[in-house]
């Protein structure tokens, strides 16, 4: 068999996944439906299908990663692809090789797909200009993390049965978050109402966000905006923000913006609590909330494999 029968017929083949800004609701829906079939594969005794046999996927991670890198590796192997992990450390990058030269080298070695994480915003777009195969953005600077957004959408739909009409509250370091940006594209495109909540120093000018997403709600009052929320997504607070003077202290941030059991009680009874990880427990989320029945944090990690399988399948043209 080439792929799960339930995966369905695909429309015109997409070449790259660089962000969700050029995805239609229909295309997102197709990926989420395909991920259901891939999750079924992962539930079997033998978690593998021969769909991408003979294809070579190179995971290019110029930043440290656990969840995303291993998730893509497992996804590729579950589809029977040859998976090669590339890191900048110990490579010719340390000798001064440019990104373009590295991409051309991997292409010459037979790579069909590149999965790329980079600290510089736009780096995957540059790679896509010079690579003849497919490029998937696994996170670039502050810009985008499309596969995280897709797995978040998938997790919400699996749990709540829909995305359209939901109230989603994203809390934390919005200004510097690639996860927040891609989730904004994904949730708004699928019909959810999104609220951004953060200290003013971690959200920036309202006009910046409203220029692209005019229907956004933007606030610094978490206790108010969390009422009746269907989804609460909190983001990792990078401690260097405090060192840069953007926050007076972690204790004060936690007092006003941490996700506590008392705050979750203000939300809808079925409200899901999400976090892209890694977490600073006791800072942006309390330990009891992170492990509560309403938390889907571990589900997000598990669902990442199925969603990334769906993307690799879609890009393969098989």
């Amino acid at each position: 068999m080439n792929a799960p029968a339930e995966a369905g017929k695909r429309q015109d083949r997409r070449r790259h996944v660089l962000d969700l800004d050029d995805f239609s609701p229909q295309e997102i829906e197709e990926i989420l439906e395909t991920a259901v079939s891939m999750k079924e594969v992962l539930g079997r005794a033998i978690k593998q299908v021969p769909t991408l046999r003979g294809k070579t996927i190179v995971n290019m991670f110029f930043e440290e990663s656990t969840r995303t890198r291993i998730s893509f590796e497992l996804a590729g192997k579950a589809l029977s692809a040859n998976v090669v992990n590339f890191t900048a450390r110990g490579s010719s990058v340390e000798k001064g090789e440019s990104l373009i030269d590295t991409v051309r080298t991997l292409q010459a070695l037979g790579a069909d797909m590149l999965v790329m994480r980079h600290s510089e915003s736009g780096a995957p777009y540059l790679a896509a200009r010079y690579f003849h195969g497919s490029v998937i953005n696994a996170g670039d600077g502050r810009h985008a993390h499309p596969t995280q957004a897709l797995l978040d959408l998938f997790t919400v739909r699996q749990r709540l049965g829909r995305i359209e009409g939901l109230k989603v509250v994203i809390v934390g370091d919005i200004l510097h978050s690639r996860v927040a940006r891609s989730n904004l594209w994904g949730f708004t495109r699928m019909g959810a109402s999104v609220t951004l909540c953060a200290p003013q120093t971690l959200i920036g000018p309202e006009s910046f966000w409203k220029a692209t997403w005019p229907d956004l709600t933007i606030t610094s009052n978490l206790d108010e905006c969390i009422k009746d929320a269907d989804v609460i997504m909190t983001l990792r607070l990078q401690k260097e923000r405090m060192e840069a003077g953007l926050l007076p202290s972690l204790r004060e941030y936690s007092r006003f913006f941490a996700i506590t059991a008392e705050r979750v009680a203000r939300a809808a009874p079925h409200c899901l609590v999400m976090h892209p990880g890694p977490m600073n427990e006791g800072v942006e989320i309390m330990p009891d909330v992170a492990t509560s029945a309403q938390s889907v944090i571990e589900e997000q990690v598990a669902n990442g494999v199925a969603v990334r399988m769906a993307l690799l399948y879609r890009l393969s043209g098989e």
Side-chain angles (χ1 to χ4, degrees), residues 171-172 222-223 226 232 234 250-264 280-286 289:
V171 187
L222 179 59
D223 290 324
I226 212 168
I232 302 168
T234 185
L250 294 180
R251 178 178 294 181
E252 182 154 338
Y253 175 87
S254 185
R255 177 185 170 194
F256 290 102
F257 296 98
I259 306 304
T260 63
E262 292 75 18
R263 285 185 167 128
V264 174
N280 294 311
E281 290 189 10
V283 178
E284 70 261 6
I285 188 169
M286 295 297 111
V289 177

Side-chain angles (χ1 to χ4, degrees), residues 208-258:
F208 172 82
W209 301 100
K210 292 275 192 174
T212 305
W213 299 281
D215 295 329
L216 276 182
T217 300
I218 299 174
T219 180
S220 293
N221 190 333
L222 179 59
D223 290 324
E224 182 63 31
C225 76
I226 212 168
K227 291 178 182 176
D228 301 319
D230 300 293
V231 178
I232 302 168
M233 180 183 298
T234 185
L235 305 171
R236 181 172 68 94
L237 182 68
Q238 299 182 30
K239 296 179 181 179
E240 57 265 32
R241 306 303 176 219
M242 188 180 71
E243 296 167 4
L246 297 179
L247 293 171
S249 69
L250 294 180
R251 178 178 294 181
E252 182 154 338
Y253 175 87
S254 185
R255 177 185 170 194
F256 290 102
F257 296 98

Side-chain angles (χ1 to χ4, degrees), residues 114-186:
L114 301 180
V115 176
M116 186 177 181
R117 170 167 288 189
H118 204 286
S119 60
E120 295 294 329
S121 298
Y125 289 78
L126 179 63
R129 288 175 57 188
Y130 292 91
F131 187 64
H132 294 164
S134 295
V135 176
I136 300 178
N137 184 358
D140 64 324
R142 301 177 184 180
H143 173 247
H145 198 346
T147 64
Q148 178 69 45
L150 286 168
L151 73 87
D152 291 341
L153 290 167
F154 181 75
T155 302
V156 169
R157 201 178 72 162
Q158 287 284 101
R159 274 296 194 103
L160 300 183
R162 64 187 174 96
I163 297 169
E164 186 175 6
L166 296 181
K167 179 181 178 180
V168 179
V169 178
I170 303 178
V171 187
D173 188 0
I174 309 289
L175 185 62
H176 304 94
S177 175
R178 56 194 176 203
V179 172
R181 284 168 171 77
S182 289
N183 267 301
L184 270 170
W185 283 116

